[in-house]
Amino acid sequence: MVKVEIEKQKENEVKLKIEADKLEVNSNLDKVYNDVSYQIKIPGFRKGRIPKNILNLHLGKEYFYDKTAEKLIPECYLEAINKNNIQPINQPEIKVTQMEEDKPLIFEATIKVRPEIKLGSFDKISIQKEDIKVTNTDVNNEIKRIQENLAKLKVVEGRKTKKGDSLVINSVGHVEGKEIEGSKVEKQTIQLGENMPPEFNNKLSGCLAGDDKEIKILIPKDVKDKKIAGKEITYKVEIVEVKEKELPELDEDFVKTVGNYKTLDDFKKDIKDKLEKQVEMINKNNYERKLLEKVAEGCEVKVPKVLVEREVKYMIESLEEDLKSKNISLEDYYKNIKTDEEKVKKEYEIVAEKRVKQELVLDKISQAEKIRVSEKEVKDKIKTIAKEMKQDALKVEATFKKNNNLDGLKESIKREKIINFLNNKIKIVNSKKEVKSK
């Protein structure tokens, strides 16, 4: 049992003066002495039987006091914040003011806490709900995308090259009249279009197989390879072959190769169903984004800087992970978009502050409205997920537990319940009619 005194400091900061009973101190101190007596070798004494005064002589009292404080402080701190329902948002700054044998342990923990939040009036919020529909054009575009992915390349003769064509080329690069080591390639396939440098697209469009072209590209000064930085490269390119995509016929033979479909109509229906699920999710996400923005705008809260910095750090790390999967470094990414880390952080800070504010507001709503998640709700959600995945519910639950994702699932359920609560408070305006909440 600990004694706690709470002193408000500056904005969103408190100082806890925490005191642990001297009996607890002595008990833990004795254990530290006992543990060390088994670990240290002192001539003339058996391990585990070394008197305190001899241990103090060799290591000093402060060593044992520090070890005892290291063990007690985290335990006492957790008890203090739980006992007083304090929600820290950073690690505590600890200052020990007393740690001696036969005396209470006294220390101060300075922490930043969640800010005070004044909720707005939800019934004054009005939101236009979008209802994007899947059209026949969307279905046809998706079918064409699938056809293009399964298309074969065929050689074409007697016509000029155009965007989308694949060219088989031989090429070599020169700088200042000298061939660049490793630049010579033979029968390399490239595709004219968005992923090619504009100089290549311009020079290689409107050509015939057998044509030779010279393409000049100015290399930026800040590239890593100093041999070519800031210089002009001349590529000598020979077009060996021109190829174009040949799409498979859209018939029953084709649809049987892409899935378990009996007819073309089955295939089209499945494509439409999948697109409608995607659109449903887009509609839902767009609506919830608008809802949370409006709700947060109507609430008063000063977002702590430490939370914004933490969110920015998370966003930068997420960006870095995404780039890593594409074999791009953060440094190269910043160069490509002509910016630097500081500018990106500034932009991220605006987004991060909005995100943090929304999360703080949602948490406040759940507290104010006593929105909780029951074990039954978790079980029901797992059953729903299992049904969608066509798996056994117990297996899905075991996976959540194994990956430590149950808390995340509970949070997502709680978020859904908060959204539902807000839906019953606000005014939703549809494209056709206005729906007044109950």
Side-chain angles (χ1 to χ4, degrees), residues 5 27 35 48 86 89 113 131 150 162-163 209 267 390 418:
E5 290 179 17
S27 171
D35 290 347
I86 294 169
I89 58 175
V113 295
D131 190 17
L150 297 171
K162 61 182 181 180
K163 184 179 177 181
F267 172 63
K390 295 179 182 176
I418 297 169

Side-chain angles (χ1 to χ4, degrees), residues 217-272:
I217 296 180
L218 183 63
I219 304 301
K221 293 179 181 179
D222 56 358
V223 297
K224 289 180 181 177
D225 190 345
K226 299 304 175 189
K227 291 178 183 177
I228 60 171
K231 296 179 181 177
E232 187 177 71
I233 295 182
T234 300
Y235 288 96
K236 292 183 178 179
V237 180
E238 177 196 357
I239 301 172
V240 180
E241 282 182 328
V242 180
K243 295 182 179 182
E244 68 179 3
K245 281 184 178 180
E246 184 175 47
L247 300 185
E249 286 292 326
L250 186 61
D251 54 24
E252 291 190 357
D253 289 335
F254 167 72
V255 300
K256 285 173 185 176
T257 65
V258 295
N260 190 25
Y261 306 107
K262 291 181 180 178
T263 66
L264 188 56
D265 286 340
D266 289 342
F267 172 63
K268 288 182 177 180
K269 183 181 180 304
D270 186 56
I271 294 293
K272 187 172 183 180

Side-chain angles (χ1 to χ4, degrees), residues 372-425:
R372 304 284 183 266
V373 177
S374 68
E375 287 304 313
K376 184 182 181 304
E377 287 172 318
V378 174
K379 294 277 185 187
D380 289 345
K381 187 69 173 177
I382 288 172
K383 285 178 185 175
T384 302
I385 294 168
K387 189 176 179 181
E388 289 172 353
M389 296 173 67
K390 295 179 182 176
Q391 289 188 13
D392 181 71
L394 289 175
K395 199 172 181 180
V396 173
E397 184 177 3
T399 304
F400 271 103
K401 286 178 178 176
K402 183 182 175 183
N403 297 329
N404 296 317
N405 286 336
L406 270 182
D407 285 342
L409 181 62
K410 285 179 183 176
E411 283 302 310
S412 70
I413 296 169
K414 184 166 79 170
R415 189 185 183 90
E416 284 177 20
K417 292 180 76 173
I418 297 169
I419 297 292
N420 288 337
F421 164 78
L422 291 169
N423 284 340
N424 289 325
K425 293 287 181 183

